Amino acid sequence: YVPLATSRAEHPSQPAVVALPVPRPYGKRDITQGALAESQPGAIAEFVRWLLSPECSWTVEAGRAGEAGMAGGDKHAGGDKPFLSTEAPSAKAEGLSKDRRKIAASDVCLLFRRFLHFGDDVTRDYVEALEARGVPHLLVGGKTFHEREEVDAIRAALTAIEWPEDELSVYATLHGPLFAIGEEELLEYHARAKVFHPYRVPDNLPDHLKPAAQALGTLRELHAARNHRPVADTLGRIVAVTRAHAGFILWRGGEQVLANVLHIADLARRYEMEGGLSFRGFVDTLHDASGRADSPEAPILEEGSEGVRLMTVHKAKGLEFPVVILADIGCKLSQDDASRYLDSTRGLCAIRIGGWSPVDLLEHNDEEAKRDEAEGVRLAYVAATRARDLLVVPAVGDGPHDKGWVRPLNRALYPPKEQRQSPSSARGVPLFKGKDTVIPEARPDGQQPDASTVRPGAYEFTDPESQDNYTVVWWDPLLLETRAEDPRGLRREELISKDARPEDVAADRSRYDTWRRRRAEWQAAGAVPSMTVITATQVPQMNTPGPQMTQMTQISNTNAQITVEDGSLQSPRPSGKRFGSLVHALLASVPLDATREQVNELATLHTRLLAATDEECGAASTIVHHVLKHPRLAAAREAEAGGRRVWREAPVTMRLDAATAGLTLVDGQIDLAYETGEAWVVVDFKTDVEMASAEDAYRRQVAIYVDAVARATGRPAMGVLLRV
């Protein structure tokens, strides 16, 4: 039992709450959503980079990195009860200090109120800012999969494969990241060929244009075979031919890029499993999905692995993270104009359509707006209480931003005006050189900070309800203005640099050659089978001299006394492979004491399974009923009634002598074997047609079964070929 606690005590060497100033919150005159949206991603990403850097001395409670614990009280998300974090109060009461560790990327979670704003992806700038700083991340439920550059490149390539006459898609594929042929080469190629078409490639091209011809040849081959292989196979071939795996992984955020490409292959497999019939159908499906642009990106990390998480507050309900950063504070807390009104007593739903509102909605607009605001307050509270060790809230240094979704937290962040110019030194932070929480040149019309502006530093607060003290550190925006590399470039340019030292190239080449040699050795070793498996039916057909045949001959000679008995009806009947399969299936499944009615029912079932005729059904039923009266079957029934062992359709595997034949297994299936007082009797059913064509081979097969049963049981055995 772990009771719920309302709070945790601050760690003495670091703050529990950080107000992260938005460096440039102003538009032309006032604070705008656009300015907030533009300035926040870089600032938050730079703060995260500092958290994960060796410069940061802050720690979190020890535990598995990225462990998201349950937070109590979330089941009351729609009610009045509070949200509480879980903690064992005994450790707190006794003053025991828990082990602590450095902050890992998976400890950090960025929470958003929304992911989309008028169709635009709110998280994209945050993802690019993290990627530019080399911070691993996991976007949980992102909705812009089809807008990604790599996804667009694959979609264009698949379109070019399906429609070679679509010159725009063909050009996009040649010039895109898969083939990466330059514009000058493509322009010159088009001047010669007059068209970008895989089936119209001119001859005698100069060497510098041959890559374009080779790329078109690849598209031609993939087009010709696209409907003769799985869609995922076609996708895998174009990725393999262009070595796109290596190219994509070098991008910023390469793991996510490659995961998205592989996710398209998963979509192709799912398309075919759900009944998709053609390559064109899948390409059309991709284009339809891109028009909606509502598919989530492929997750690249498992829970608990390294990566900053980005998720909505709704997805974070019930979870807890060591570090929580609230993002996109420009999102409104609630709407002033309600979009709908519900009256359950009247069964009424009044909604705005085409900009026109029903009178019921107009009359209850204030009520619904207050309801929406209350829900916004609850969501802000949920977001804030997801933090276990550190809560980071973006804020505007010149005064509270009252329109954002974090508005309910403002009163816990902003000190009284008379204290805003006299902060104390913060614990464990880099040197704050600035005296302002807004970049001075970002203010419109040369405005200067006033008494409302908060200065960087630490401020002491007292909770008016619990009377607990806590500290809020207002960060220095000058530390958040560091420019990052272009997120769309390469992150490992040294790998493709032409200016490498010769000795480095030689060393790398040596390692690569060693790897290739060892790989070839492993492949050669893996190509040699560790064992050989042959069926008992194949053994009589083996004519190659050698240890295996010698041992098989010995087995056959040792068990040469294989009797052939007749249990067939001397009357006309159907023939053919299907009829033989029907008879064998019926003999394998019919009870030894089956009545004629039971035999008929099973015959009807197997007739339907094998799509046999009524004539074959009747003949098979008659044959099996007659065979059940044979003395061998009667002896099997007697053995079963007497408690002796009786095997039917028993699999048998015999290992040949490894000293003479290597590791070879002979695999077979015994139709019937039963135990008598003197020995085992192995019965193999064969139709007249089978016996007439290869009686000697079947004798050798039964001899193998007899030898296997004798070895397995330690008792003598005999064999019977029963003609049915």
Side-chain angles (χ1 to χ4, degrees), residues 564 686-698 721 723:
V564 179
K686 298 298 178 186
T687 62
D688 289 337
V689 176
E690 292 172 321
M691 290 293 291
S693 61
E695 180 177 336
D696 183 63
Y698 290 130
L721 272 171
R723 182 186 288 111

Side-chain angles (χ1 to χ4, degrees), residues 299-337:
I300 61 172
L301 300 172
E302 298 294 337
E303 286 297 325
S305 60
E306 290 298 324
V308 174
R309 287 163 176 77
L310 295 86
M311 63 174 63
T312 63
V313 180
H314 288 282
K315 280 189 174 291
K317 284 186 176 181
L319 301 178
E320 185 181 61
F321 302 92
V323 180
V324 168
I325 302 175
L326 308 187
D328 186 31
I329 65 169
C331 175
K332 291 184 177 181
L333 178 72
S334 61
Q335 298 295 329
D336 296 331
D337 295 327

Side-chain angles (χ1 to χ4, degrees), residues 248-462:
F248 285 138
I249 203 65
L250 290 174
W251 288 15
R252 303 287 179 187
E255 291 85 358
Q256 181 69 64
V257 172
L258 191 55
N260 287 337
V261 173
L262 299 179
H263 183 55
I264 300 177
D266 293 336
L267 294 177
R269 297 185 188 97
R270 189 184 310 166
Y271 164 80
E272 292 177 327
M273 289 180 60
E274 293 175 352
L277 299 177
S278 68
F279 185 85
R280 176 173 295 187
F282 178 69
V283 177
D284 288 339
T285 300
L286 277 183
H287 280 283
D288 292 342
S290 67
R292 297 190 300 271
D294 57 355
S295 298
E297 295 186 7
I300 61 172
L301 300 172
E302 298 294 337
E303 286 297 325
S305 60
E306 290 298 324
V308 174
R309 287 163 176 77
L310 295 86
M311 63 174 63
T312 63
V313 180
H314 288 282
K315 280 189 174 291
K317 284 186 176 181
L319 301 178
E320 185 181 61
F321 302 92
V323 180
V324 168
I325 302 175
L326 308 187
D328 186 31
I329 65 169
C331 175
K332 291 184 177 181
L333 178 72
S334 61
Q335 298 295 329
D336 296 331
D337 295 327
S339 60
R340 66 178 182 178
Y341 166 67
L342 299 177
D343 187 343
S344 57
T345 60
R346 299 166 55 194
L348 172 67
C349 176
I351 61 175
R352 184 186 300 112
I353 298 178
W356 295 85
S357 300
V359 64
D360 299 270
L361 178 59
L362 295 174
E363 291 176 347
H364 295 84
N365 181 76
D366 293 343
E367 175 186 343
E368 292 300 316
K370 290 180 180 178
R371 192 191 308 274
D372 189 29
E373 182 181 6
E375 177 64 17
V377 172
R378 282 191 288 268
L379 282 176
Y381 191 77
V382 169
T385 53
R386 299 313 92 194
R388 190 187 70 190
D389 297 88
L390 173 64
L391 174 65
V392 181
V393 185
V396 178
D398 283 343
H401 178 59
D402 293 330
K403 298 180 180 179
W405 71 279
V406 298
R407 185 185 72 194
L409 307 177
N410 284 343
R411 61 190 181 95
L413 300 177
Y414 287 87
K417 288 186 178 181
E418 61 272 13
Q419 299 179 11
R420 294 184 183 183
Q421 302 299 313
S422 56
S424 58
S425 299
R427 299 164 291 179
V429 303
L431 178 62
F432 289 173
K433 297 181 179 180
K435 304 298 182 182
D436 195 348
T437 47
V438 176
I439 299 298
E441 60 268 23
R443 288 193 179 91
D445 302 328
Q447 293 181 10
Q448 298 297 317
D450 55 23
S452 299
T453 301
V454 185
R455 291 184 60 181
Y459 296 87
E460 299 295 331
F461 290 83
T462 300

